[in-house]
Amino acid sequence: MINKVIKDAQEAVKDIPSGSFLMMGGFGLSGIPENCISALLKREINGLTIVSNNAGVDDFGIGLLLKKKMVKKMISSYVGENAEFERQLLSGELEVDLIPQGTLAERVRAGGAGIPAFFTPAGVGTEVAEGKEIREFDGKLYLMERWLRADFSLVKAWKGDTAGNLIFKGTARNFNPIMAAAGKICIAEVEELVPAGELDPNQIHTPGIYVQRIFEGKDYEKRIEQRTVSHS
Amino acid sequence: MLTKEQIAQRIAQEVRNGQYINLGIGIPTLVANYIPEDLEVVLQSENGLLGIGPFPTEDKIDPDLINAGKQTITMVKGSVLFNSAESFAMIRGGHVHLTILGAMEVSENGDIANWKIPGKMVKGMGGAMDLVASAENIIVAMQHCSRSGDSKLLKECSLPITGIRCVKKIVTDLAVLEVAAEGGFILKERAPGVSVEEIQSKTEGKLIIEGEIPEMKF
């Protein structure tokens, strides 16, 4: 087995240069690469383009990178819940591409799978379709979308092994597996790192071939955005 | 006039046994509370879950288990988890039977606007554009008029649209309406105590009234 293990988050992100095109897994604050984001915050880099479904909240997740003005452009589907984001967007400091969530997911999947473009019905007749090729298939209109590939993809898994194989937990899986495949260098942080052979091959979600660096993260906060309980 | 809970309750009557259903944020989420217990349906959450259960009790909260509105949830027996690309493959592939979502405006040909108010709100469309472009059956849950009293059932949407010619049915605080194939809102039911005249006066788009319009039953 090829050993993908590195020491920690600092080591993992130390060669990410200014102006990099990054992907970060997560939906809301669930399944985000907390350790890598903290390590990036300590680097003096900027001009980053980040593909992520959301942009964190003001004081957590990608919101911290925005606050430090490290981000030039976000490619996301939903960016509510973040006042600093909205301020930078309206003032023109930050560029934003808003993309339908399924199109975002498929563009990332296509990037990892070597499919340069595909047709989807999402956004036909809306401003999302502006400037894009429209074609009719079997009586319905579709628009062409391109793949997305990143210099580095930063993902978070529940368990991983030294060969880079990953298992996710709950809905923290979301964009993480497809982003792992779409990054030239995929950095995976995991809650528990085990020797190769300890994970059941039947249960692995992301094969280690997609992962170049893996480390065991620490101090996961796993902040909850909408704590909702039932009292029965 | 119906409360939000009553709108949800009325929409729950549209649910059929065996359906896979995606519920949007807001009133649509409340629909889950009113689905009759003898119906077997599965709720999809586009962040990667089929089989949404009730909200957890305090001791069962899991930060790794949320719905598309980022609320903590539980799973039911038979639930399954998957990634975001798989989730939208289900949606675009037509495997989700019913989509219920909120709207800011609906036009008489079934266009829907619910993702952007230029200059005011830039939050993004999330999964709404994929859902409305793909679902066979789309029901909109919304107030009949905006807070300032303007009709939300229009000839044409004034806000940037989310999808074209996709809405089949609308349940508001005043009425149940269907979108006619040739355009126009067919008035099907009135909220208890609400007159046809009131609905007419609060509907900017073409309202089609055929025969007696019954009151909604709960």
Side-chain angles (χ1 to χ4, degrees):
Chain A
M1 277 295 146
I2 304 166
N3 191 330
K4 311 279 177 77
V5 179
I6 51 163
K7 188 166 131 255
D8 57 15
Q10 259 70 31
E11 181 78 14
V13 305
K14 71 175 185 191
D15 58 346
I16 294 180
S18 286
S20 291
F21 192 103
L22 309 180
M23 288 181 184
M24 290 191 192
F27 184 99
L29 300 177
S30 172
I32 61 172
E34 291 185 22
N35 278 228
C36 280
I37 290 172
S38 297
L40 276 175
L41 275 171
K42 294 185 185 126
R43 298 273 324 276
E44 292 303 320
I45 54 172
N46 55 38
L48 300 174
T49 295
I50 301 180
V51 180
S52 168
N53 188 56
N54 312 89
V57 294
D58 276 321
D59 59 348
F60 198 60
I62 292 172
L64 298 169
L65 303 173
L66 290 167
K67 201 172 264 179
K68 211 183 150 193
K69 309 268 174 72
M70 297 170 74
V71 185
K72 177 182 77 174
K73 181 175 181 178
M74 287 297 308
I75 300 176
S76 306
S77 88
Y78 188 83
V79 294
E81 283 82 63
N82 192 323
E84 174 65 11
F85 181 97
E86 208 153 344
R87 191 198 64 73
Q88 287 188 22
L89 177 60
L90 293 171
S91 71
E93 292 165 63
L94 181 69
E95 291 173 55
V96 178
D97 262 4
L98 289 172
I99 296 176
Q101 195 175 132
T103 298
L104 182 65
E106 192 62 15
R107 289 179 68 184
V108 171
R109 195 200 70 80
I115 305 287
F118 58 92
F119 284 86
T120 175
V124 169
T126 76
E127 60 186 61
V128 165
E130 284 168 19
K132 289 176 185 157
E133 183 182 341
I134 309 280
R135 279 177 68 177
E136 185 180 319
F137 295 94
D138 299 328
K140 186 170 168 172
L141 295 176
Y142 298 82
L143 58 87
M144 191 176 81
E145 293 281 5
R146 297 289 310 274
W147 62 7
L148 283 170
R149 293 181 296 172
D151 299 322
F152 294 86
S153 60
L154 280 48
V155 306
K156 150 80 179 36
W158 180 38
K159 290 181 182 175
D161 69 18
T162 51
N165 297 309
L166 305 176
I167 294 177
F168 303 89
K169 177 167 163 274
T171 52
R173 190 182 320 182
N174 54 63
F175 284 82
N176 282 298
I178 50 177
M179 286 182 170
K184 268 184 223 133
I185 294 175
C186 170
I187 301 167
E189 55 175 273
V190 300
E191 289 178 55
E192 188 186 347
L193 183 63
V194 300
E198 286 201 10
L199 299 179
D200 177 355
N202 290 298
Q203 306 297 325
I204 289 166
H205 299 126
T206 291
I209 189 171
Y210 300 124
V211 176
Q212 280 67 44
R213 303 172 187 174
I214 189 167
F215 67 92
E216 187 171 282
K218 56 183 186 196
D219 303 328
Y220 282 101
E221 188 175 335
K222 294 195 183 184
R223 201 183 289 189
I224 294 171
E225 276 182 82
Q226 305 286 340
R227 190 181 195 88
T228 313
V229 295
S230 62
H231 299 285
S232 53
Chain B
M1 278 184 22
L2 304 186
T3 62
K4 286 179 183 177
E5 285 74 18
Q6 287 170 314
I7 295 174
Q9 199 176 350
R10 175 60 192 81
I11 290 176
Q13 296 173 17
E14 305 293 319
V15 172
R16 298 290 172 264
N17 196 41
Q19 283 183 325
Y20 288 90
I21 305 171
N22 184 288
L23 301 177
I25 295 164
I27 299 174
T29 304
L30 301 173
V31 172
N33 301 335
Y34 299 100
I35 296 173
E37 281 184 14
D38 57 336
L39 294 189
E40 289 186 6
V41 299
V42 178
L43 302 180
Q44 200 238 20
S45 194
E46 63 263 29
N47 56 320
L49 168 65
L50 273 172
I52 306 174
F55 294 123
T57 50
E58 197 68 48
D59 58 319
K60 294 270 166 52
I61 283 180
D62 179 354
D64 292 325
L65 206 54
I66 60 170
N67 64 18
K70 288 123 186 167
Q71 294 172 305
T72 44
I73 49 163
T74 59
M75 295 190 280
V76 297
K77 282 179 186 167
S79 283
V80 56
L81 298 152
F82 36 85
N83 72 53
S84 299
E86 179 93 49
S87 182
F88 282 90
M90 283 171 202
I91 289 166
R92 282 190 309 266
H95 307 282
V96 174
H97 303 113
L98 175 62
T99 290
I100 301 169
L101 76 176
M104 299 180 209
E105 295 176 349
V106 177
S107 79
E108 63 185 33
N109 65 359
D111 295 353
I112 177 172
N114 71 351
W115 75 281
K116 185 180 188 184
I117 303 173
K120 269 192 187 165
M121 185 200 86
V122 272
K123 291 187 189 298
M125 65 291 279
M129 281 195 185
D130 309 273
L131 283 158
V132 300
S134 313
E136 281 293 302
N137 193 4
I138 296 169
I139 301 177
V140 164
M142 67 175 188
Q143 306 297 327
H144 210 92
C145 295
S146 68
R147 285 207 186 96
S148 52
D150 299 320
S151 178
K152 294 167 72 172
L153 292 99
L154 307 171
K155 283 191 201 320
E156 281 178 34
C157 292
S158 66
L159 296 169
I161 62 173
T162 310
I164 50 172
R165 294 187 181 82
C166 54
V167 176
K168 299 281 187 296
K169 188 172 269 193
I170 306 144
V171 179
T172 74
D173 51 338
L174 303 181
V176 177
L177 310 104
E178 284 176 8
V179 176
E182 65 282 8
F185 300 107
I186 307 169
L187 182 57
K188 303 298 285 187
E189 297 173 27
R190 300 173 289 125
V194 173
S195 68
V196 171
E197 291 70 30
E198 180 178 356
I199 295 164
Q200 176 76 77
S201 73
K202 290 179 175 169
T203 305
E204 191 234 63
K206 180 180 167 192
L207 188 68
I208 301 167
I209 305 161
E210 289 164 342
E212 280 296 300
I213 308 300
E215 285 194 352
M216 296 177 204
K217 291 194 178 65
F218 290 96

